[in-house]
Amino acid sequence: MDNQILDGPSPSFIQRRINMLRWIFNPLAILEKRYQQYGDVYVVAKNVTPLVVYISNPEALQQIFSAPAGTFDSSGANRVLLPLLGDRSLILLDGVAHQRQRKLLMPPFHGDRLKAYGEIIRDITQQVISRWEVGKPFNVRASMQEISLRVILSAVFGLHQGDRFEELRKLLTRLLDAVGSPISSMLLFFPSLQKDWGVWSPWGRFLNLRSQIDQLIYAEITARRAADVQSDDILSLLLQARDEHDQPMTDRELRDELVTLLFAGHETTASALSWALYWIDHLPEVREKLLQELDTLPPDADPSAVVRLLYLNAVCCETLRIYPIAINTFPRIVRSPIEIMGYHFEPGTLLLPSVYLTHHREDLYPEPKRFKPERFLERQFSPYEYLPFGGGNRRCIGLAFAQFEMKLVLATILAQYDLQLATKTPIKPTRRGLTVAPSGNLRMVVKQVRVQKTPALV
């Protein structure tokens, strides 16, 4: 195949800075405009090296995700996450080190381990939503964030209450809020802004919060090592884990992986749940189908029965399709010359598989702007057509846990309450740190308490 020519703009230095700000404040509009102009393989700037290439063609994605190990550097372009996660985080490792950590981290997220979290998820959801009052508006994101944070603290540390639990909960929320808005997220995108001028400066405040969180996490690790008591939480399992050389994780490795799990398993799930509740209210026919399906569950239904519900699964899949929390997968940096779909890429080229653009391809998802769960009942999509959790060897290890939690939380809420939007104010996707989430004005109100036909959900 003849080499194809990569298309894209050639912006000036000033225009590149303006484009970066646009990307921070309105990333989806930028993506769609460029896709319409340049197609499903394009460069961000033709006059800048190394080239940054956006890709949303499933055939190209398959070639990238199935490429032999060593074809790409899959960690070097993730340095924006370094201040948040630490250099021993799975996300910032590559090669042998990445394989080792991934193998050590995988067991807590699969099989029987997942089932153990079912009752925890439902109990926490019940505790949070029991504070909702009929007719009184509540902030959806705040509630979903409290649920997801308490779930991940419980799953990761086995913490359900107490001083350390409360301190971690408050500090993690404050740290995320410190880089949560489009303006404050610039701290992560522009290293030149990362200046510590004391706790009253944005970066100084960030570092102070991170330091307090680190102290709590290291204290928990030390206490667990000293106690040598086996438990089912993720920290206990990681303390017991050994690599092929019978070596455990160091405290530094544990800290970075625990922080990664806390942030990746908290913020993303809260956003997905918020979107799901929005769409379920926005489309009454979706709500009715969901309620009918939930009402088929027997009184003694356990979590595994809930997560097998087909329409509930379709609603969750469509939620993650239309507005994926991560709009791109982790970047890949080309290590040696490679051809993908006739395009020649030199070493140093940064490839960005676009989750959002792939999920909005008209040929894969007719009427892509329409929320239609039935898509996922009518056909099965390949990992190169539907990729809310990334792909290849960088696919999110917590995807099964995230899907499990999302379904159980939604089922628990819908079994008890009829919700509706508190206002008709349009809800649009907005930047939330490094992700995209519903705008912060998403508020709902309990219209009425449902007659319980599925007591096992509560």
Side-chain angles (χ1 to χ4, degrees):
M1 183 185 293
D2 293 335
N3 282 335
Q4 300 186 50
I5 304 300
L6 288 164
D7 201 0
S10 298
S12 66
F13 175 81
I14 293 176
Q15 189 59 52
R16 290 200 300 273
R17 286 291 177 264
I18 293 172
N19 287 343
M20 183 64 176
L21 290 174
R22 287 175 175 166
W23 162 250
I24 290 172
F25 282 87
N26 197 359
L28 302 188
I30 293 290
L31 284 178
E32 294 194 344
K33 181 179 179 181
R34 287 176 177 164
Y35 178 83
Q36 291 164 6
Q37 290 177 311
Y38 307 115
D40 55 15
V41 181
Y42 68 84
V43 294
V44 172
K46 290 196 289 187
N47 56 340
V48 174
T49 55
L51 293 175
V52 177
V53 185
Y54 267 87
I55 299 175
S56 54
N57 183 296
E59 183 181 339
L61 296 181
Q62 182 173 9
Q63 289 180 259
I64 292 170
F65 293 156
S66 58
T71 302
F72 306 111
D73 172 0
S74 300
S75 65
N78 294 328
R79 307 308 286 178
V80 66
L81 292 164
L82 180 61
L84 202 59
L85 306 182
D87 61 6
R88 303 310 298 168
S89 164
L90 181 71
I91 293 171
L92 288 156
L93 296 175
D94 205 14
V96 174
H98 176 263
Q99 292 173 10
R100 173 187 182 266
Q101 292 298 91
R102 192 174 179 90
K103 191 176 294 185
L104 291 172
L105 285 165
M106 286 290 281
F109 292 100
H110 291 278
D112 292 337
R113 295 293 183 186
L114 266 187
K115 295 178 184 177
Y117 304 131
E119 290 306 321
I120 293 172
I121 292 169
R122 293 202 295 201
D123 289 346
I124 289 172
T125 303
Q126 179 60 36
Q127 290 166 20
V128 172
I129 69 176
S130 65
R131 300 198 295 265
W132 296 348
E133 300 176 27
V134 175
K136 185 176 180 180
F138 63 91
N139 184 291
V140 175
R141 178 170 191 87
S143 288
M144 297 306 103
Q145 195 161 314
E146 183 176 358
I147 290 171
S148 63
L149 180 52
R150 290 178 62 180
V151 165
I152 203 67
L153 283 172
S154 178
V156 170
F157 293 110
L159 295 175
H160 309 283
Q161 57 187 0
D163 292 343
R164 194 168 290 164
F165 168 84
E166 285 300 325
E167 279 297 302
L168 266 175
R169 187 173 67 83
K170 291 174 183 176
L171 290 169
L172 287 166
T173 300
R174 287 169 59 194
L175 188 68
L176 284 169
D177 288 343
V179 292
S181 72
I183 291 176
S184 61
S185 70
M186 288 195 286
L187 284 171
L188 298 176
F189 288 104
F190 294 102
S192 60
L193 298 177
Q194 296 174 7
K195 305 294 185 185
D196 183 5
W197 292 319
V199 293
W200 296 108
S201 66
W203 192 246
R205 187 163 54 252
F206 173 89
L207 294 178
N208 180 261
L209 288 169
R210 190 185 67 181
S211 175
Q212 292 181 67
I213 290 169
D214 285 353
Q215 290 176 28
L216 290 169
I217 289 176
Y218 280 122
E220 188 69 23
I221 292 171
T222 300
R224 293 295 187 87
R225 286 198 191 278
D228 194 26
V229 176
Q230 294 191 0
S231 182
D232 286 335
D233 59 78
I234 292 171
L235 173 55
S236 295
L237 297 174
L238 294 182
L239 284 168
Q240 299 166 33
R242 298 292 184 273
D243 62 18
E244 63 271 25
H245 303 296
D246 198 35
Q247 293 300 307
M249 286 190 190
T250 65
D251 283 5
R252 178 62 182 274
E253 287 173 329
L254 283 167
R255 178 268 173 204
D256 288 2
E257 299 302 6
L258 293 170
V259 169
T260 300
L261 294 175
L262 288 172
F263 285 117
H266 160 218
E267 186 80 346
T268 53
T269 304
S271 295
L273 286 166
S274 300
W275 273 127
L277 290 174
Y278 166 78
W279 287 114
I280 291 166
D281 171 78
H282 193 65
L283 299 168
E285 65 274 17
V286 171
R287 181 175 64 246
E288 287 307 310
K289 288 181 181 178
L290 258 182
L291 293 179
Q292 289 173 16
E293 186 178 60
L294 287 171
D295 286 345
T296 65
L297 289 173
D300 58 347
D302 61 21
S304 62
V306 176
V307 299
R308 287 197 300 267
L309 293 175
L310 296 179
Y311 195 72
L312 175 61
N313 178 69
V315 168
C316 292
C317 288
E318 181 71 343
T319 298
L320 294 171
R321 180 200 69 82
I322 197 165
Y323 289 133
I325 309 306
I327 54 180
N328 305 312
T329 71
F330 291 125
R332 270 76 168 172
I333 300 174
V334 177
R335 277 187 167 146
S336 56
I338 186 174
E339 275 204 10
I340 296 174
M341 283 191 63
Y343 293 98
H344 181 79
F345 298 113
E346 286 293 328
T349 304
L350 192 150
L351 306 182
L352 264 175
S354 176
V355 179
Y356 179 81
L357 290 179
T358 304
H359 285 186
H360 284 255
R361 289 180 65 98
E362 192 84 41
D363 57 341
L364 292 177
Y365 305 98
E367 299 180 277
K369 306 303 179 194
R370 181 184 170 200
F371 188 87
K372 184 184 174 185
E374 287 73 17
R375 304 177 199 276
F376 292 90
L377 300 176
E378 296 164 357
R379 63 163 288 189
Q380 187 170 351
F381 297 93
S382 78
Y384 319 111
E385 298 169 330
Y386 181 70
L387 51 151
F389 296 96
N393 67 346
R394 311 300 292 198
R395 198 177 187 203
C396 175
I397 63 169
L399 70 92
F401 183 91
Q403 292 170 324
F404 186 72
E405 180 182 357
M406 190 175 178
K407 292 173 186 178
L408 285 181
V409 172
L410 287 175
T412 303
I413 293 172
L414 295 171
Q416 294 183 68
Y417 297 122
D418 284 337
L419 304 176
Q420 67 179 22
L421 289 173
T423 68
K424 298 301 180 183
T425 304
I427 302 300
K428 297 180 179 180
T430 185
R431 180 170 292 284
R432 171 88 181 165
L434 298 174
T435 64
V436 173
S439 53
N441 61 340
L442 176 56
R443 297 177 69 81
M444 302 190 85
V445 63
V446 177
K447 190 166 60 173
Q448 65 179 13
V449 178
R450 293 193 73 218
V451 175
Q452 295 302 312
K453 295 184 179 180
T454 53
L457 289 179
V458 298

